[in-house]
Amino acid sequence: MPGLLLGDVFPDFEADTTIGKIRFHDFLGSSWGILFSHPRDFTPVCTTELACAAKISDEFKKRGVKMIALSVDSVEDHRNWSKDVMAFNSEAGTALPFPIIADDKRALAVQLGMLDPDEIDKDGIPLTARCVFVIGPDKKLKLSILYPATTGRNFDELLRVIDSLQLTAQKKVATPVDWKVHTLTLYSHQSAAWVILGIPRRMQSSLYRQTNPCPI
């Protein structure tokens, strides 16, 4: 992401949203946060993504993660779209469980490097790409993923990486390929667990043959 690197303090922007005007750091409070952007309201892929995010919002809540979406349409469009999203989930009449930022002037999309130059709207303006930012309680960027507008995201993977980020923020460990919480062995890629950081190189090969409990 141009100008925004892992470990940087995430911009404390003000924005209009479906829950009113917010200042981002105040919105996060002491929580972890995830911001995910969308190219346009009412489009098929974006609707399936928002519906999935709504359906598993309790999983983010369990992890102490505040969710917020962004799209380039108006607050009013967002509110109407939210109704479509919840109807898609067979939950018509239920409120979307997280707010959506109105970035109709694309100010945040430019500031955060979220534009997709290969996807242009009818006015010749680049659409917002499908970005994901995970922000820690210290307001610093912990993870960023940039998908093109044409590719939908995997929200199960986002939960997995948040589990890893939260674990490694508390314990001096690293999580190997395909790691998931409560898996045990280091050696199998299907049930990889955890690696102690800072061990001498001569000890590393033996650790790959050991089974270690996940520390959470």
Side-chain angles (χ1 to χ4, degrees):
M1 305 294 173
L4 192 60
L5 303 175
L6 296 183
D8 286 351
V9 174
F10 204 83
D12 187 21
F13 58 82
E14 286 189 349
D16 292 321
T17 78
T18 49
I19 60 169
K21 187 177 286 291
I22 66 161
R23 180 172 285 277
F24 190 55
H25 287 190
D26 290 341
F27 169 77
L28 291 178
S30 59
S31 299
W32 286 74
I34 183 168
L35 189 161
F36 44 98
S37 64
H38 299 271
R40 180 72 78 183
D41 293 7
F42 302 104
T43 54
V45 175
C46 295
T47 299
T48 61
E49 286 193 312
L50 219 62
C52 177
K55 191 171 291 186
I56 64 172
S57 60
D58 283 347
E59 291 297 320
F60 287 93
K61 187 176 181 179
K62 280 196 313 190
R63 292 161 170 81
V65 180
K66 286 192 173 180
M67 307 169 71
I68 189 165
L70 177 149
S71 185
V72 297
D73 294 289
S74 67
V75 168
E76 188 60 29
D77 283 339
H78 289 348
R79 287 176 176 150
N80 289 327
W81 184 33
S82 297
K83 295 174 184 177
D84 279 4
V85 168
M86 298 310 289
F88 182 87
N89 274 352
S90 300
E91 296 181 79
T94 303
L96 190 73
F98 49 83
I100 310 175
I101 295 168
D103 191 33
D104 47 331
K105 294 182 174 59
R106 290 173 169 78
L108 279 174
V110 171
Q111 180 183 2
L112 300 176
M114 296 192 292
L115 293 179
D116 185 342
D118 292 330
E119 295 297 322
I120 308 297
D121 68 11
K122 59 182 176 59
D123 299 316
I125 302 172
L127 295 173
T128 308
R130 301 182 194 279
C131 296
V132 178
F133 299 108
V134 177
I135 302 99
D138 57 2
K139 309 300 185 290
K140 293 181 179 180
L141 180 64
K142 304 301 182 184
L143 175 136
S144 62
I145 309 175
L146 177 60
Y147 298 77
T150 50
T151 300
R153 285 159 283 207
N154 183 325
F155 278 80
D156 288 334
E157 170 64 5
L158 298 183
L159 289 171
R160 192 191 75 84
V161 296
I162 286 170
D163 285 338
S164 175
L165 290 169
Q166 292 184 337
L167 171 62
T168 56
Q170 298 296 322
K171 307 286 185 180
K172 197 174 182 181
V173 298
T175 56
V177 63
D178 295 337
W179 175 86
K180 291 181 181 179
V181 172
H182 302 314
T183 51
L184 293 176
T185 175
L186 274 170
Y187 190 75
S188 169
H189 74 280
Q190 294 178 335
S191 57
W194 60 288
V195 180
I196 302 172
L197 296 181
I199 60 172
R201 183 175 295 276
R202 66 181 181 276
M203 295 174 58
Q204 291 180 8
S205 61
S206 63
L207 278 176
Y208 286 115
R209 295 175 176 82
Q210 293 180 19
T211 297
N212 296 288
C214 177
I216 57 173

